[in-house]
Amino acid sequence: MNLKNRTSCLFKIVLFIIFSIFVAEIIVLPKIEHDMLKEAGRQELVTVQQLCGAVLEKNPDVEQDFILGLRQPTKSWQEKGEQILNQYGYDEEHLLADNTLYAAYMIAWRNWTGFFLITTFLLLATSLLYFYSIIRNSNREILLILEQYLSEDFSFAYGTERIAKGRIHFMSNQIGDRLKQLGHQIVTKNTRITEERESTKALVTDISHQLKTPMAALKTCFYIYLDASDADEKMEFLKRSEAQLEKLEQLIASLMNISRLETAMISLTKESILLSDLLVDAVNGVYEKARRKNIEISLQKTENIALQLDKHWTTEAVINVLDNAVKYSPQNSHITISIEKQHFYTLVKITDEGIGISQSEYNKIFQRFYRSNHSYVKKTEGSGVGLYLTRMILERQGGLIRVESVPEKGSTFILQFRN
């Protein structure tokens, strides 16, 4: 046990002893007062009995007057009796001075009253000293926390021990708890800033990597175009340069959309739209690509379902899923779109007959710039931002996207929209 705990324990013992004495005195003093009053009443009765016997024994004819004087005293009789008794020295001062029992009671009363006052003073002084020591210790701990703040040490923010214990320390507890909350907030903000800094570095690295391939291809095509002597050869590499420029333009547009969505620069405007119309627009967006691979896209008929969605961005989200399905599906295959309405959500399922996705990649494919190590994916053009954009667009509208797949047999992307 350290010095602080020993001092606190000693204070508590002394405080308990003094408090016990204080309570005992509260019980004893009324008892002394009660005994004094009882004895005074008894002596008064004895005095009356003595007077009654002495007077009525010699003068039995005044019995009725004597009893009447006791039951219905009058001021004239009281003054007459006082006058007569004073002649023989029977006044209040002499009677109390000669009463030894009364004197003993008064001495006991004075002693106990003095002891009570001293005990009360000691109780108050000890209590104040005890509370002062606790407040001082609490302040010392708060000052220690403030020093940690100044030194940027926020380890105390994760401690579970309260700065002070008990109801009387609610101010210290509130201050300490608030300081811990502030420390935790600062740690959280610092962590978030660090994560954002690392995320920014990763984003810059990813963008550089994504731009490097089309830029290198464009540069190669351009130099070959300059060195080519044949007009047909020049035209061929001019077309290749144009294709690379289109890829570069699409990539930049995707990167800009990611940046605008992540920084909340894009405001999604919800309106009531028919889900079937939205899906038809999305299918039209990838129709030409699907036609070149002879891929049939079928949309199962369903009831008209109206949802509150941003039509433009939600259509883009569905197009990204369909574009991936077309891109990674073989020629002459089939893509099916079905709608399933549930109580709280409406599900749109897009099923293809493509290369499939391993279970270990279910979550990775929705990350920014992620591309699978599958051989077919490596030889297919792509930036790895389409599904990431889709996830962001759906989540911003209270929805989500997930995938179920069997490798080499196909995948089903499930888009969930809130009703």
Side-chain angles (χ1 to χ4, degrees), residues 181-217:
Q181 291 174 5
L182 291 174
H184 189 272
Q185 290 175 4
I186 292 174
V187 172
T188 303
K189 289 181 179 179
N190 288 341
T191 303
R192 189 177 303 162
I193 290 172
T194 302
E195 290 176 351
E196 289 180 356
R197 187 183 297 117
E198 295 300 322
S199 177
T200 302
K201 290 180 181 180
L203 177 61
V204 172
T205 302
D206 290 337
I207 291 175
S208 301
H209 178 74
Q210 293 294 327
L211 293 176
K212 185 185 296 182
T213 301
M215 286 297 293

Side-chain angles (χ1 to χ4, degrees), residues 248-308:
L248 190 59
E249 184 180 12
Q250 292 175 358
L251 177 60
I252 292 174
S254 297
L255 293 175
M256 289 182 64
N257 287 335
I258 289 176
S259 176
R260 293 166 66 189
L261 280 171
E262 287 184 343
T263 56
M265 293 178 63
I266 293 178
S267 177
L268 300 182
T269 305
K270 293 184 179 181
E271 58 181 323
S272 181
I273 60 173
L274 291 176
L275 184 58
S276 57
D277 293 344
L278 184 147
L279 294 176
V280 169
D281 291 342
V283 171
N284 290 335
V286 298
Y287 174 77
E288 184 58 30
K289 289 184 178 180
R291 187 189 64 81
R292 288 198 293 264
K293 296 182 70 173
N294 196 27
I295 295 177
E296 180 184 358
I297 302 177
S298 60
L299 175 60
Q300 294 183 358
K301 292 183 179 181
T302 184
E303 60 178 314
N304 290 330
I305 300 174
L307 300 176
Q308 292 291 325

Side-chain angles (χ1 to χ4, degrees), residues 17-35:
I17 293 173
I18 296 177
F19 180 75
S20 300
I21 296 173
F22 178 78
V23 172
E25 289 170 347
I26 291 177
I27 298 173
V28 170
L29 284 175
K31 180 67 169 55
I32 294 176
E33 184 178 7
H34 175 268
D35 291 345

Side-chain angles (χ1 to χ4, degrees), residues 75 169 201 352 405 416:
K75 189 173 182 181
H169 310 301
K201 290 180 181 180
D352 61 51
S405 181
Q416 182 172 300

